[in-house]
Amino acid sequence: MGASRSTKLALYAYAALVVAFLYLPLVSVGFASISRARYLTFPIKKYATKWYGSAFASETVMDLLVVSLRIALIVAAVSMTVGFFGALAFARYNWRYRSLFQKVILLPIFFPQAVLGLALLIWFNALGVIPDWKTAVVAHLVWIAPIATLIIAIRAYSFDPALEEAASDMGASTWQILREITIPLLMPGIISAGLFAFLLSWGNFPLSLFTTGADSTLPEWLYAKVVSGYTPLVPTVGVLTVAGSLLLIGIAFAVFHVFKFASSRSA
Amino acid sequence: MDKANQRFGFLCSLPILVVLGLGFLAPLAVVALYSTMPERVFSLANFPTFEAFRTLVEQSYYKSLLWSLGMAVVATCMLFLLCWPLAYAMAKVFRSFALAITILVVMSLFVSENIRLFGWSLTLMKGGLLEGHARAWFGIGFEGLLYNVPIIVFGLVYVYLPFMLFPLAQGIAMIPDDARQAATDLGASRWQLLIEIDLPLAAPGIAVGSLLTFVLAAGALAESKLLGGQAVIVIADEIETAFTYSQNWPLGSALSVVLIVIIGCLVTYGLARVDLDSIIGRNR
């Protein structure tokens, strides 16, 4: 559709404004993390990186890091597996309850996470399970596995069933078809689902809040410190958490490009 | 082949259904059971009384519910208006730039919502990024902008923007350019184009985006705590208090059940009218 030049310009400006709006609070956190003063006020008078030193030296922060990392890695691995099969049921196979299944998968996404976290807390208690990081993995999965399913399903829609049928006609077993055809074709979707799952779990707060028990994740600790007992480490740890996500995204992009480059050379 | 389709489809659906059965359905069932128990008991082995629901009405807990629902409605309407032009541009005007916007918006989602909300409180507080610089550079000091109802709505709009933007863009991408072209050729005004072509054809995306933002905003907790300073007590806050400090599980469960029923009705009604294959499948 031919939008006029000035309309286009206005739309570009608007888009830039929305993105700036999304990132402005992070700018504040970034500045706060390098302020020297113990009690933060803007404009910042003296800058210092000493809080980063204390954050890296802090055992609490390292413990939080390990717990968050462990939860996110397991959530990513399970989401990729469960999501792979879920996506096939969602998009590939034409089975009787498919449309119902598609809607059931969406329900946890259309559900307030804080309420879900509290419901899980009561459920674990009824089961006699004492909450720790493992129950948080379950909580994260309820929300993240459906998202992973959707991401892989997008890929699975473009899947040509004739490929599997051809392999089957040539005598390949179900397992061979899965390994040689289905998994490689859906691989880009599976990898992005894993990346999403890791990052969403890493940054999740409302589910972790009620389901980690005595353990604590980075976002949870930040929340606790903001609500009561603010320390100058809060913005610093916040920045480090964001930096962790960025690092992972960067690595993922780099690996993706190297992979693409290598496969285009060999083709 | 049809029989194989049935069998594989069913088998592949099992893993995630197990996860959701154990982590979603079962907890909700337990909450529903607890809501019928007498107040302040911790076991399900009591005779159901429903007194928690009476407390809910008598002690005006419904006010929190109304605040939450009201703020969610306002946030959803604002998000629809804010996101429509951008979603439209992403679907129909921007080309490669749309991908850049998508990546930037998705990346913001990976930052924990409480870090971003904490960032807003640093930005808006007295002596924060805005007030501090305004005072130092222009000599205009003002009171901090935090701790009131509008700022909670602002927080909701901020946090849930991507949840409106993407479904909306997806819905607008489903409008065939031919339909708009034909309408323009037949002399439709811009307004007619919007009302008779764009809005009806993008309806699935509008429905999904509005449902998603409304539901998530109605159950939101962090915005009122971090930005609103509990200027009003939202429903999720009441539920948390009942489950934790006051140790009144049946009351917390009753409050949850009311919220879940409202959300459940809306989502079932909305999703039943949307063809997911066409929304998600087109995204390639």
Side-chain angles (χ1 to χ4, degrees):
Chain A
M1 290 311 290
S4 75
R5 214 183 138 79
S6 58
T7 319
K8 266 189 187 169
L9 215 63
L11 286 173
Y12 277 104
Y14 184 61
L17 204 69
V18 170
V19 171
F21 170 66
L22 287 179
Y23 283 92
L24 176 66
L26 293 181
V27 173
S28 295
V29 177
F31 275 116
S33 76
I34 47 172
S35 159
R36 220 185 118 149
R38 177 162 281 275
Y39 297 100
L40 175 77
T41 49
F42 285 92
I44 290 163
K45 293 184 188 67
K46 283 199 179 108
Y47 292 96
T49 52
K50 67 171 175 178
W51 302 118
Y52 282 90
S54 345
F56 282 117
S58 156
E59 258 181 53
T60 320
V61 174
M62 287 304 134
D63 285 347
L64 295 165
L65 195 76
V66 170
V67 172
S68 296
L69 204 60
R70 197 188 302 151
I71 295 176
L73 282 175
I74 298 176
V75 167
V78 179
S79 297
M80 283 160 90
T81 322
V82 170
F84 168 73
F85 290 110
L88 291 179
F90 194 105
R92 158 78 176 83
Y93 298 114
N94 236 329
W95 55 302
R96 194 191 295 161
Y97 300 108
R98 186 166 77 110
S99 148
L100 181 67
F101 171 75
Q102 289 178 331
K103 272 145 203 179
V104 170
I105 294 302
L106 287 184
L107 290 181
I109 305 175
F110 283 81
F111 201 86
Q113 289 182 48
V115 180
L116 179 59
L118 284 161
L120 279 160
L121 180 69
I122 304 300
W123 164 238
F124 290 134
N125 192 284
L127 285 179
V129 178
I130 296 165
D132 61 0
W133 65 270
K134 291 184 228 85
T135 47
V137 169
V138 176
H140 284 195
L141 277 175
V142 174
W143 181 60
I144 293 173
I147 296 177
T149 306
L150 288 183
I151 294 171
I152 304 174
I154 292 170
R155 181 88 191 164
Y157 272 109
S158 59
F159 186 98
D160 185 358
L163 289 168
E164 282 187 351
E165 280 158 28
S168 160
D169 291 345
M170 291 178 179
S173 69
T174 311
W175 169 241
Q176 273 177 320
I177 295 174
L178 199 67
R179 205 185 47 197
E180 304 280 336
I181 313 272
T182 319
I183 294 180
L185 276 175
L186 295 187
M187 206 29 121
I190 299 174
I191 290 173
S192 28
L195 193 65
F196 264 75
F198 180 93
L199 292 165
L200 290 175
S201 167
W202 175 257
N204 184 277
F205 159 68
L207 289 170
S208 303
L209 180 63
F210 301 113
T211 53
T212 49
D215 292 327
S216 179
T217 64
L218 282 164
E220 238 185 305
W221 180 84
L222 287 170
Y223 175 77
K225 289 290 163 189
V226 170
V227 173
S228 59
Y230 182 83
T231 87
L233 278 184
V234 169
T236 315
V237 172
V239 170
L240 288 176
T241 316
V242 177
S245 309
L246 284 181
L247 190 70
L248 183 74
I249 296 171
I251 293 173
F253 266 96
V255 169
F256 176 73
H257 277 285
V258 167
F259 191 72
K260 216 167 125 185
F261 183 70
S263 64
S264 71
R265 292 273 308 255
S266 68
Chain B
M1 207 52 211
D2 194 55
K3 217 170 173 184
N5 256 327
Q6 299 289 348
R7 196 163 59 106
F8 285 128
F10 173 70
L11 285 176
C12 286
S13 74
L14 284 181
I16 189 150
L17 289 181
V18 169
V19 170
L20 297 190
L22 288 176
F24 189 66
L25 213 61
L28 295 192
V30 167
V31 165
L33 277 180
Y34 263 112
S35 72
T36 65
M37 291 289 114
E39 291 198 62
R40 291 175 209 285
V41 300
F42 293 100
S43 106
L44 287 169
N46 287 284
F47 198 75
T49 59
F50 296 96
E51 62 183 80
F53 286 97
R54 195 187 311 142
T55 316
L56 189 155
V57 178
E58 279 170 1
Q59 300 190 7
S60 51
Y61 280 103
Y62 59 88
K63 278 187 190 155
S64 303
L65 185 67
L66 291 180
W67 268 114
S68 281
L69 296 178
M71 289 194 297
V73 168
V74 175
T76 307
C77 294
M78 285 175 71
L79 273 172
F80 176 70
L81 296 176
L82 280 172
C83 289
W84 178 268
L86 183 56
Y88 190 85
M90 284 170 71
K92 297 284 179 193
V93 182
F94 299 159
R95 290 169 199 282
S96 54
F97 191 58
L99 182 66
I101 297 287
T102 307
I103 291 175
L104 283 168
V105 175
V106 168
M107 275 178 48
S108 79
L109 274 179
F110 295 142
V111 181
S112 187
E113 64 183 75
N114 54 2
I115 299 180
R116 290 182 286 147
L117 290 172
F118 167 63
W120 273 119
S121 75
L122 290 181
T123 310
L124 300 175
M125 69 184 186
K126 193 167 169 61
L129 188 77
L130 293 184
E131 197 270 345
H133 284 111
R135 188 159 33 82
W137 293 345
F138 312 110
I140 336 165
F142 49 85
E143 283 306 303
L145 301 166
L146 298 172
Y147 314 129
N148 49 45
V149 174
I151 208 69
I152 302 178
V153 177
F154 173 87
L156 295 172
V157 167
Y158 173 74
V159 168
Y160 299 113
L161 187 132
F163 298 90
M164 178 65 94
L165 181 63
F166 292 129
L168 216 51
Q170 200 67 22
I172 295 172
M174 288 165 67
I175 306 172
D177 285 344
D178 299 349
R180 304 191 84 237
Q181 194 61 55
T184 320
D185 291 348
L186 293 172
S189 68
R190 277 191 161 194
W191 180 247
Q192 281 175 316
L193 208 58
L194 180 71
I195 297 295
E196 304 202 4
I197 306 286
D198 291 348
L199 290 179
L201 287 177
I206 298 173
V208 170
S210 308
L211 268 179
L212 199 51
T213 42
F214 175 79
V215 162
L216 297 178
L221 181 63
E223 291 76 11
S224 82
K225 283 204 169 185
L226 291 174
L227 295 181
Q230 297 181 310
V232 289
I233 308 291
V234 293
I235 186 72
D237 208 351
E238 298 279 21
I239 297 174
E240 188 203 351
T241 312
F243 277 133
T244 52
Y245 303 111
S246 20
Q247 292 289 309
N248 193 345
W249 289 9
L251 178 63
S253 300
L255 290 166
S256 309
V257 165
V258 174
L259 183 64
I260 291 168
V261 166
I262 295 175
I263 289 172
C265 289
L266 278 173
V267 171
T268 331
Y269 179 83
L271 284 187
R273 272 151 194 75
V274 172
D275 176 27
L276 292 168
D277 281 331
S278 63
I279 296 188
I280 299 166
R282 265 170 198 260
N283 195 358
R284 28 172 151 131

